[in-house]
């Protein structure tokens, strides 16, 4: 290991020295929100989301810190929570680190150091650290993969690397190095017992980050070993697999380099792909990148909802007829009411695309990042920031399912203040805390603008020259974005501006004049020139209301439409309908226009779409019925952003509505 550790970037992904990356990540603190949508979300994250989560996880309800205290000998008791609860706590710490990186509140750092001290005492002498095993004397280390040791390991390594990069302190990093060295000792040798073990792929991302931080190549080699082991062994139950589904569920039937279809548990799959993308950014292996390209297309073009959500079903089967949970089913099989769409899976979709953006430098990946962030990620948390959805369906009906049918029901009619399966909340909160770091990337000869939000950027380009640039916008409610150069080098460089795929007929002005730069929806518009202080670039994206239909193979939404404006997907919610109206009685009238109206004091400040919908009056409870001409009445109402639904009490909701064209 290199004695000089790399404290180069305050981010969960340090690709600053990765040789096969087109767009490299900025330092998280290089971009500071100034006002608007994401500034407000970060403020809620700082003031509500992270403190509330701390109260839960550090108390008796969440019990996560208690588990470490018991393992450390500081408290009596037994392990509580899911097997992956350690990892959830690490994600919470990661979110706190990002908040500290922005506000430099020393109290936060003291709290984190206290957690690390307890975690250090819980760690065993040889580096092993898994409270769900340490507190169960009847279970041995790495006895059965159902205990999710690898998932916890991955988040330990990631969080420790981020902590070192932000603080310069080694107290958490040394814990991670000790643990990862043990992992290498056990899993690097070729053994049948451990060959199928690493099924929850977070450890791959963590090992790559540890390699990037320490420059010790053995961690990268171990990450690649976990990739190479998938699809290598017979798919059959052994003593290491009993108690958890096998095969496609855990990505072990087909070697990754031969894969072309996303299968199995959506989170396991997408963490796997994200980790493989991290490995590819270091090795440049074409076969690996080609497989990731195929899988990205399969996910986003054949198995993704309009909101960017993924993982269509709670229970189902893969195309190879392996049982799956919380995951991908057949292409174009997209139920709305029973759509699972775990918040973690949606976030993982954005994480995978973020890495693919780095590898290829193409704006289509940032399109998916943005789609998820504004829709299927934010829907997982309330406007206030203290209650959560695990599943994110596109239609909700009251009294249609038993939410207590069995102990593994994670779907809920309302957001809940605590979920016993707590993986999603800290995953979402750590993402909100670091979105500023996703907003810009360093290109080979300039800067790329991936996301839009009022901010100030103070960074260094690839040649180490300084760049200070302001972004002013009311996005996502308005399509005008203004960039102003405050400081830059004296030679020419590129400003690459993502033109979203929906932003047809966008225009760019430089210093008030039109340019001859190609402005194409779905691509970066690249402006190369000698820039100087005071130069401005204005991007004007038409915020047209778009009526969206699905592929004809998506049977459930044939002759139904959804409404989208800019990056925001809209829905109709029962508080905006006549009393006792069933959401299934609502039809969209194509002849009636919708008008955007910004309401700063409604649902945290959103733009709604006002207009008239049709409510069907002839009703029947029969499963099948004879029909003549349906009877409708017109009702003036509003559509709200999908992410903001269920903030006005329990409600019915739908994204897709049947349409009356004439």
């Amino acid at each position: 290991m290199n004695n000089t550790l790399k404290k180069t970037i305050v981010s969960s992904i340090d690709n600053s020295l990765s040789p096969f990356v087109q767009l490299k990540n900025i330092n998280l603190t290089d971009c500071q929100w100034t006002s608007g949508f994401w500034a407000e979300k970060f403020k809620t994250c700082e003031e509500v989301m992270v403190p509330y989560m701390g109260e839960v996880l550090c108390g008796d309800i969440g019990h996560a810190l208690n588990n470490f205290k018991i393992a450390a000998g500081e408290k009596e008791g037994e392990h509580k929570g899911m097997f992956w609860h350690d990892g959830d706590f690490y994600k919470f710490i990661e979110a706190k680190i990002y908040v500290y990186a922005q506000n430099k509140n020393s109290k936060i750092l003291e709290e984190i150091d206290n957690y690390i001290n307890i975690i250090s005492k819980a760690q065993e002498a040889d580096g092993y650290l898994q409270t769900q095993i340490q507190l169960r004397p009847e279970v041995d280390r790495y006895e059965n993969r159902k205990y999710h040791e690898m998932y916890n390991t991955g988040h330990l390594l990631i969080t420790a690397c981020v902590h070192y990069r932000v603080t310069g302190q080694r107290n958490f990093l040394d814990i991670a190095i000790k643990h990862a060295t043990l992992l290498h000792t056990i899993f690097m040798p070729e053994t049948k017992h451990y060959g199928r073990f690493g099924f929850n792929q977070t450890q791959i991302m963590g090992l790559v980050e540890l390699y990037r931080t320490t420059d010790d190549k053995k961690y990268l080699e171990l990450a690649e070993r976990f990739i190479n082991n998938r699809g290598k062994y017979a798919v059959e139950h052994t003593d290491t697999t009993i108690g958890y589904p096998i095969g496609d569920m855990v990505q072990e039937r087909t070697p990754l380099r031969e894969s072309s279809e996303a299968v199995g548990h959506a989170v396991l799959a997408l963490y796997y792909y994200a980790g493989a993308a991290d490995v590819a950014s270091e090795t440049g292996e074409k076969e690996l990148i080609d497989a990731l390209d195929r899988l990205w297309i399969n996910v986003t073009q054949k198995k993704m909802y309009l909101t960017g959500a993924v993982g269509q079903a709670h229970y189902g089967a893969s195309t190879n007829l392996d049982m799956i949970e919380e995951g991908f089913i057949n292409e174009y099989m997209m139920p709305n009411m029973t759509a699972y769409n775990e918040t973690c899976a949606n976030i993982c979709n954005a994480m995978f695309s973020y890495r693919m953006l780095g590898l290829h430098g193409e704006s289509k990946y940032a399109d998916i990042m943005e789609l998820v962030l504004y829709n299927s990620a934010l829907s997982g948390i309330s406007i206030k920031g203290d209650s959560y959805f695990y599943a994110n369906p596109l239609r909700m009906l009251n009294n249609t399912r038993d939410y207590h049918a069995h102990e593994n029901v994670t779907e809920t009619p309302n957001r809940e203040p605590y979920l016993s399966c707590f993986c999603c909340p800290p995953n979402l909160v750590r993402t909100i805390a670091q979105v500023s770091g996703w907003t810009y990337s360093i290109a080979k000869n300039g800067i790329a603008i991936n996301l839009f939000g009022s901010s100030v950027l103070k960074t260094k380009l690839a040649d180490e020259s300084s760049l200070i640039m302001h972004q002013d916008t009311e996005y996502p409610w308005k399509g005008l974005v203004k960039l102003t150069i405050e400081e830059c080098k004296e030679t020419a460089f590129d400003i690459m501006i993502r033109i979203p795929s929906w932003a047809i007929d966008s225009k760019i002005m430089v210093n008030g004049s039109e340019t001859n730069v190609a402005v194409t929806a779905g691509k970066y518009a690249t402006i190369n020139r000698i820039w100087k202080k005071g130069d401005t670039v204005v991007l004007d994206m038409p915020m047209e209301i778009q009526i969206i239909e699905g592929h004809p193979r998506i049977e459930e939404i044939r002759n139904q439409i959804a409404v989208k404006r800019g990056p925001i997907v809209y829905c109709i919610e029962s508080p905006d309908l006549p009393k006792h109206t069933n959401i299934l009685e609502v039809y969209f009238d194509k002849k009636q226009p919708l008008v955007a109206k910004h309401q700063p004091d409604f649902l945290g400040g959103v733009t709604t779409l006002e207009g008239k919908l049709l409510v069907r009056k002839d009703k029947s409870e029969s499963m099948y019925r004879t029909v003549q001409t349906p009877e409708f009445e017109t009702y003036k109402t509003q559509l709200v952003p999908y992410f903001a639904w269920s903030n006005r009490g329990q409600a019915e909701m739908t994204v897709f509505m049947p349409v009356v064209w004439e």
Side-chain angles (χ1 to χ4, degrees):
M1 182 178 70
N2 191 325
N3 290 327
T4 305
L5 299 179
K6 295 182 290 183
K7 182 175 176 286
T8 57
I9 187 166
V10 184
S11 172
S12 61
I13 309 170
D14 178 3
N15 62 10
S16 57
L17 299 178
S18 302
F20 300 98
V21 168
Q22 302 299 313
L23 294 178
K24 300 198 173 184
N25 303 334
I26 62 167
N27 184 317
L28 177 73
T29 54
D30 286 357
C31 175
Q32 300 273 346
W33 300 123
T34 54
S35 63
F37 188 92
W38 287 112
E40 292 165 6
K41 290 298 177 188
F42 181 82
K43 182 179 179 182
T44 302
C45 180
E46 178 183 23
E47 297 179 356
V48 179
M49 294 179 189
V50 169
Y52 174 77
M53 191 168 290
E55 292 174 12
V56 170
L57 291 178
C58 297
D60 292 335
I61 294 176
H63 206 266
L65 185 58
N66 284 346
N67 290 334
F68 286 104
K69 287 181 177 179
I70 297 167
E74 294 188 357
K75 188 180 180 71
E76 295 292 326
E78 60 184 20
H79 184 277
K80 292 183 181 179
M82 301 295 182
F83 297 145
W84 47 91
H85 210 37
D86 287 5
D88 301 338
F89 192 68
Y90 296 138
K91 283 183 284 186
F92 158 68
I93 297 175
E94 186 183 346
K96 284 182 75 85
I97 295 168
Y98 292 138
V99 171
Y100 168 75
Q102 296 283 3
N103 66 19
K104 292 297 188 291
N105 183 335
S106 60
K107 183 180 177 182
I108 294 175
L109 190 58
E110 290 172 8
E111 292 169 347
I112 293 171
D113 281 340
N114 179 54
Y115 304 151
I116 295 170
N117 182 51
I118 295 168
I119 292 168
S120 177
K121 291 178 181 178
Q123 186 174 33
E124 297 187 7
D126 64 353
Y128 187 78
L129 181 59
Q130 303 282 346
T131 68
Q132 79 280 19
I133 303 297
Q134 292 168 270
L135 302 181
R136 283 183 171 82
E138 74 279 9
V139 180
D140 288 334
R141 301 175 177 186
Y142 306 114
E143 173 185 297
N144 189 305
R145 64 189 188 184
K146 71 180 180 181
Y147 293 110
H148 287 75
E149 287 157 285
M150 294 302 177
Y151 173 88
N152 296 333
T153 288
H155 288 297
L156 164 63
L157 303 185
I158 291 167
T159 304
C161 289
V162 172
H163 178 263
Y164 170 73
R165 293 168 191 160
V166 171
T167 67
Q169 299 174 191
R170 289 196 53 143
N171 50 340
F172 207 2
L173 184 65
D174 286 341
I175 294 171
I177 290 172
K178 192 175 182 180
H179 182 73
T181 300
L182 174 67
L183 205 71
H184 186 274
T185 300
I186 295 172
F187 287 92
M188 197 61 193
E190 186 78 29
T191 63
K192 291 181 180 179
H193 178 82
Y194 295 121
R196 295 170 64 196
F197 214 90
F199 81 100
N200 200 340
Q201 314 292 346
T202 321
Q203 82 279 6
I204 298 176
M205 291 182 287
L207 286 164
V208 175
E209 287 311 314
L210 195 59
Y211 159 69
R212 289 165 170 167
T213 304
T214 65
D215 202 28
D216 190 332
K217 200 167 185 178
K218 71 182 179 186
Y219 302 126
L220 178 62
E221 292 169 348
L222 182 57
E224 194 166 20
R225 166 57 58 88
F226 282 119
I227 293 173
N228 297 344
N229 280 350
R230 311 316 288 160
K232 188 175 181 179
Y233 298 91
V235 178
E236 58 188 13
H237 271 302
T238 68
D239 58 350
T240 69
T241 69
I242 297 297
Y244 205 85
I246 60 177
D248 281 338
M249 169 68 174
V250 293
Q251 320 302 313
E252 66 176 351
R253 189 169 290 283
T254 307
L256 180 60
R257 293 168 181 84
E258 299 173 15
S259 298
S260 57
E261 181 189 10
V263 296
H265 194 290
V267 175
L268 272 57
L270 288 161
Y271 272 153
Y272 185 21
Y273 306 160
D278 282 337
V279 170
S281 72
E282 303 300 330
T283 66
E285 185 194 333
K286 184 178 185 301
E287 192 175 7
L288 195 57
I289 295 171
D290 288 347
L292 294 173
D293 289 343
R294 294 192 302 270
L295 290 164
W296 187 88
I297 290 171
N298 184 255
V299 170
T300 61
Q301 301 301 313
K302 296 182 178 181
K303 297 193 177 187
M304 186 182 75
Y305 284 87
L306 180 64
T307 58
V310 290
Q312 304 110 295
H314 194 160
Y315 298 102
S318 71
T319 51
N320 289 314
L321 301 184
D322 285 332
M323 175 186 173
I324 66 101
E325 299 173 3
E326 302 183 319
F328 295 109
I329 51 178
N330 288 19
E331 296 172 355
Y332 303 111
M333 190 178 289
M334 314 290 288
N336 287 321
M337 190 175 74
T338 60
Y340 198 65
N341 296 344
E342 180 188 345
T343 301
C344 270
N346 307 338
I347 295 166
C348 291
N349 192 22
M351 290 170 60
F352 177 35
S353 285
Y354 186 34
R355 287 159 169 81
M356 296 302 284
L357 174 69
L359 278 173
H360 292 304
E362 297 178 25
S363 68
K364 65 182 182 180
Y365 302 109
D367 281 351
I368 300 300
M369 292 158 51
E370 178 179 78
L371 182 67
V372 170
L373 287 171
Y374 282 113
N375 298 287
S376 56
L378 280 183
S379 60
I381 196 165
S382 63
I383 298 294
K384 187 178 177 183
D386 61 356
S387 57
Y388 319 101
F389 273 142
Y390 188 99
N392 297 273
L394 273 70
R395 180 174 294 142
M396 174 65 75
L397 271 66
N398 292 333
N399 305 316
T400 55
R401 59 171 48 185
D402 181 0
Y403 292 102
H404 305 284
H406 54 84
E407 64 179 358
N408 293 322
V409 173
T410 44
E411 299 93 329
T412 54
N414 300 295
R415 292 183 184 85
E416 298 293 334
Y418 179 70
L419 302 171
S420 58
C421 182
F422 204 70
C423 55
C424 297
N427 209 3
L428 177 52
V429 171
R430 71 168 179 155
T431 301
I432 294 171
Q434 64 172 310
V435 169
S436 61
W438 293 14
T439 305
Y440 301 90
S441 294
I442 304 300
K444 291 182 178 179
N445 186 37
I447 191 77
I449 295 90
N450 308 319
L451 303 174
F452 306 114
S454 289
S455 56
V456 57
L457 174 70
K458 297 180 180 179
T459 194
K460 290 187 181 297
L461 300 181
D463 62 2
E464 293 297 312
S465 62
S466 295
L467 174 65
I468 301 177
M469 183 169 65
H470 292 267
Q471 183 180 159
D472 296 291
T473 182
E474 294 179 58
Y475 196 85
W477 314 123
K478 294 184 179 179
L480 204 66
V481 178
K482 181 180 180 181
L483 304 170
T484 304
I485 302 293
E486 185 176 316
E487 180 181 308
C488 66
K489 63 181 181 178
E490 296 180 353
T491 54
F493 65 93
D494 296 336
I495 292 182
M496 300 167 55
I497 306 175
R498 180 179 66 94
I499 312 300
S501 56
W502 54 263
I504 298 169
D505 296 329
S506 294
K507 296 180 180 179
I508 289 180
M509 308 276 282
V510 176
N511 295 331
S513 301
E514 293 186 6
T515 71
N516 58 1
V517 170
V519 182
T520 306
K523 295 186 179 297
Y524 282 99
T526 301
I527 310 167
N528 178 273
R529 56 176 284 165
I530 296 174
W531 301 92
K532 63 181 185 301
K533 181 177 181 178
D535 282 348
T536 61
V537 181
V538 174
L539 168 64
D540 189 359
M541 296 173 282
M543 281 284 189
E544 303 293 338
I545 297 170
Q546 297 179 327
I547 308 302
I548 309 294
E549 68 173 349
H551 190 285
R553 284 184 58 188
I554 308 176
E555 294 184 29
E556 186 160 323
I557 57 171
R558 290 289 298 272
N559 202 33
Q560 296 187 38
I561 61 90
V563 180
K564 192 167 178 276
R565 180 176 181 267
I568 304 292
V569 175
Y570 282 78
C571 66
I572 180 68
E573 195 178 7
S574 54
D576 299 314
L577 293 170
K579 195 174 182 180
H580 304 306
T581 299
N582 185 296
I583 204 76
L584 298 179
E585 297 163 1
V586 178
Y587 287 64
F588 185 81
D589 187 351
K590 183 59 176 67
K591 294 182 296 182
Q592 299 287 347
L594 293 171
V595 178
K597 179 182 178 182
H598 191 68
Q599 301 191 52
D601 299 320
F602 178 60
L603 295 175
V606 299
T607 294
T608 58
L609 303 181
E610 296 191 340
K612 295 178 180 179
L613 299 178
L614 297 173
V615 178
R616 186 166 178 175
K617 302 305 293 179
D618 54 317
K619 303 179 182 180
S620 172
E621 296 300 320
S622 300
M623 187 167 179
Y624 300 102
R625 57 195 175 186
T626 301
V627 64
Q628 301 297 324
T629 302
E631 299 176 18
F632 296 102
E633 73 173 8
T634 300
Y635 187 75
K636 186 176 181 181
T637 185
Q638 63 182 357
L639 305 183
V640 300
Y642 170 76
F643 77 79
W645 88 277
S646 189
N647 280 278
R648 294 177 283 168
Q650 187 167 332
E652 294 193 336
M653 173 277 299
T654 190
V655 170
F656 281 93
M657 295 172 279
V659 60
V660 176
W661 294 103
E662 294 182 358

